Amino acid sequence: MKEHGRSKGKLLVAVVADELEERARDILREEGAQGVTILAGRGIGFPEHMTFFGITYRGAESILACVLDGDSAERMAERLNCELELLKPFKGLAFCLAVNRSGGIDLDLVRDAIRRRTPDPGA
């Protein structure tokens, strides 16, 4: 497995309400992401949200994750948070984590592939 030194890659993690998953995938695709891993999850907020009958709300969530170059990851997280209104209660959150080392992933190739797929805003 080829290992690269310090990189400027980021892991984009988006936790979204289940009904927002398809739109989140569309946004990532539009922004040039080459792929995304999707996991099913359940979330509970604090303080707990009670429904009409006093039952605790445990929302179905999707967790989307992809490794990207730093600029692309931050741009995509910001777009997800804004367009899907993820910062509102029970909607979710998109954030990035630094990837200091990568094994088996050439982040320069990832960055170049995203640039080829992303439309030029000035065009």
Side-chain angles (χ1 to χ4, degrees), residues 59-104:
E61 297 176 335
S62 295
I63 300 128
L64 295 85
C66 47
V67 176
L68 304 157
D69 68 274
D71 293 336
S72 297
E74 290 176 11
R75 183 183 70 244
M76 290 181 203
E78 185 175 327
R79 185 170 170 202
L80 288 166
N81 281 326
C82 290
E83 288 188 26
L84 301 179
E85 299 179 321
L86 295 182
L87 301 179
K88 289 185 176 179
F90 308 108
K91 293 286 189 167
L93 176 66
F95 59 93
C96 300
L97 299 170
V99 177
N100 294 327
R101 299 185 71 76
S102 63

Side-chain angles (χ1 to χ4, degrees), residues 17-82:
D18 213 34
E19 65 269 13
L20 298 175
E21 178 193 316
E22 187 173 344
R23 182 65 187 125
R25 285 191 335 244
D26 290 344
I27 289 171
L28 294 174
R29 186 178 302 117
E30 290 167 12
E31 288 290 334
Q34 297 293 298
V36 61
T37 299
I38 302 172
L39 305 165
R42 270 186 308 161
I44 184 168
F46 297 107
E48 295 179 356
H49 175 72
M50 299 293 200
T51 65
F52 181 70
F53 295 106
I55 299 170
T56 302
Y57 172 81
R58 287 182 177 84
E61 297 176 335
S62 295
I63 300 128
L64 295 85
C66 47
V67 176
L68 304 157
D69 68 274
D71 293 336
S72 297
E74 290 176 11
R75 183 183 70 244
M76 290 181 203
E78 185 175 327
R79 185 170 170 202
L80 288 166
N81 281 326
C82 290

